[in-house]
Amino acid sequence: MAETIGTVEILDVIPEVDISDSVKEFAGTNGDYYAREFKKVQSSKSGYCWTFNFGSAVFGPLWATARGLWGLFWVFSLLEMVFLVMLGLGVWGELGADKFARAERMQTNYEKMMTRAETAREQGDEEGAASFEKRAENLAKARDKATAEGEIARAGGTRLLVIAILGLVLLKIFEGWIANIAYERQYSRWRGDRTVRSGLSWPIGLLGFVIIAFVYVVTLLRFTTASPPDFITEFP
């Protein structure tokens, strides 16, 4: 709104609302930091801006639970679990192990067939020797095929490892970026409803740790090991 006095136009200036004290009350620990970052978020037209929370980037789901952001906790946990499974498969997943084991069995049978062929030939049974040699030839082809498939699977493990590492790095950047934006949304809800979770709760953070530790361990055992424990595979 403007008021004109003579030739001078006087503009009403709307003072900027200082949310520092309110944010400090809401956030508790590191209140000054969140007051500064929330101002960045609120000053952006879209509600999205560059802001980075190192605590969230490092601790991810644990930070989310400690701050009461359970939706973010499940998103972070699920995405991290996907990349951790890929990482596990690439590091200790023994990709192609079943193919190499099959190739080894084929080699053993191949040697048996060749031994029988030699024995049959020594006994003057050329027809029997030829039959055993034919079987040995088929076993050799199957062995070579299984070995090749094993090598392909092993190479796939290397690709999985690279993708997993790159994915985790990008995910950590995302976790660090989205944290303050999501937390500012919670702060806005808290201003209208003081029952909304506020502050930093280490006990709840510990609960989040127990949840993800259990889920991560069970998932990694189930999908990255050749022989997962029976209690996992037999779970209904």
Side-chain angles (χ1 to χ4, degrees):
M1 181 177 180
E3 179 182 357
T4 302
I5 302 177
T7 59
V8 179
E9 186 179 67
I10 301 176
L11 298 176
D12 292 335
V13 178
I14 301 176
E16 181 181 351
V17 177
D18 186 1
I19 63 172
S20 298
D21 292 339
S22 177
V23 173
K24 290 176 184 178
E25 180 185 354
F26 166 76
T29 306
N30 294 330
D32 289 329
Y33 164 79
Y34 286 107
R36 183 173 64 254
E37 298 305 311
F38 286 3
K39 287 178 182 178
K40 289 182 184 179
V41 176
Q42 292 180 355
S43 63
S44 64
K45 293 181 179 180
S46 64
Y48 293 92
C49 64
W50 175 250
T51 174
F52 197 81
N53 188 310
F54 284 96
S56 177
V58 173
F59 297 105
L62 300 183
W63 176 89
T65 53
R67 288 293 180 179
L69 297 166
W70 283 97
L72 214 57
F73 164 80
W74 290 113
V75 172
F76 287 174
S77 298
L78 178 61
L79 293 175
E80 285 189 3
M81 189 164 55
V82 170
F83 289 118
L84 286 174
V85 168
M86 295 173 65
L87 186 67
L89 287 172
V91 175
W92 66 78
E94 298 181 355
L95 294 179
D98 57 330
K99 303 295 183 182
F100 289 120
R102 183 168 181 268
E104 187 175 348
R105 291 194 299 270
M106 294 296 177
Q107 175 64 23
T108 300
N109 291 332
Y110 167 82
E111 293 172 357
K112 289 180 180 179
M113 289 299 108
M114 291 302 296
T115 299
R116 291 180 181 179
E118 292 176 5
T119 301
R121 183 165 285 110
E122 290 174 356
Q123 295 175 351
D125 184 3
E126 289 296 333
E127 184 177 348
S131 176
F132 285 126
E133 287 175 347
K134 182 63 176 179
R135 294 180 189 178
E137 181 182 349
N138 292 334
L139 286 168
K141 290 179 180 179
R143 176 203 61 200
D144 294 342
K145 180 180 179 181
T147 301
E149 290 175 348
E151 293 293 347
I152 292 173
R154 180 179 290 172
T158 302
R159 288 194 296 271
L160 276 178
L161 181 60
V162 173
I163 293 172
I165 293 174
L166 179 60
L168 282 172
V169 170
L170 293 176
L171 177 58
K172 286 302 175 181
I173 294 174
F174 171 75
E175 290 177 352
W177 169 70
I178 200 66
N180 290 334
I181 296 173
Y183 201 36
E184 190 278 332
R185 302 288 192 275
Q186 180 151 306
Y187 162 70
S188 297
R189 293 194 299 272
W190 173 83
R191 293 184 70 181
D193 179 7
R194 292 305 175 97
T195 63
V196 173
R197 266 286 313 279
S198 62
L200 178 69
S201 174
W202 288 115
I204 296 180
L206 180 61
L207 173 62
F209 172 78
V210 172
I211 293 174
I212 62 174
F214 175 77
V215 173
Y216 284 6
V217 169
V218 170
T219 302
L220 288 172
L221 286 174
R222 176 64 181 85
F223 294 105
T224 67
T225 57
S227 301
D230 292 339
F231 77 90
I232 295 177
T233 57
E234 295 176 0
F235 188 80

